[in-house]
Amino acid sequence: MQPFSISFLVIGLGNTLPFGIPVPGAPSTFFVYVNPVASTNLLLSDQTGAAVLPFSLPNNPSYVGVTLATQVVALDPALPNSLPLGSSVGMQIVIGQ
């Protein structure tokens, strides 16, 4: 990410999508890999372009084996598209012991 930029961490339940879904108006490299049903969190990057989002999970054994899909979507006003967004690829997380 660029320094002092705005982005979002999207978290969905289940697996990442096996293929990216393009978004009309966004750059041709922007694809959605996550169904954002669980959470969407605002991220603000620092002067180095890094952003941190503390994530706590209750100590409950029923969470073991739960699969989450995540993706970062960043606002990039330098892009010439009507929807100036950049995206990461999807990442899949399985909560373990």
Side-chain angles (χ1 to χ4, degrees):
M1 286 188 292
Q2 295 184 3
F4 306 109
S5 64
I6 298 172
S7 57
F8 298 91
L9 175 64
V10 181
I11 303 173
L13 296 173
N15 300 329
T16 54
L17 300 175
F19 54 87
I21 299 172
V23 176
S28 61
T29 56
F30 182 91
F31 295 99
V32 174
Y33 292 95
V34 174
N35 183 359
V37 296
S39 176
T40 301
N41 304 283
L42 176 67
L43 299 173
L44 301 173
S45 66
D46 62 14
Q47 67 273 12
T48 65
V52 176
L53 179 70
F55 185 79
S56 62
L57 191 64
N59 187 12
N60 187 331
S62 65
Y63 289 116
V64 173
V66 171
T67 302
L68 301 174
T70 64
Q71 182 176 14
V72 173
V73 175
L75 177 64
D76 189 351
L79 292 172
N81 304 77
S82 59
L83 203 59
L85 299 173
S87 66
S88 70
V89 295
M91 183 175 78
Q92 189 168 300
I93 299 169
V94 178
I95 300 172
Q97 297 182 18

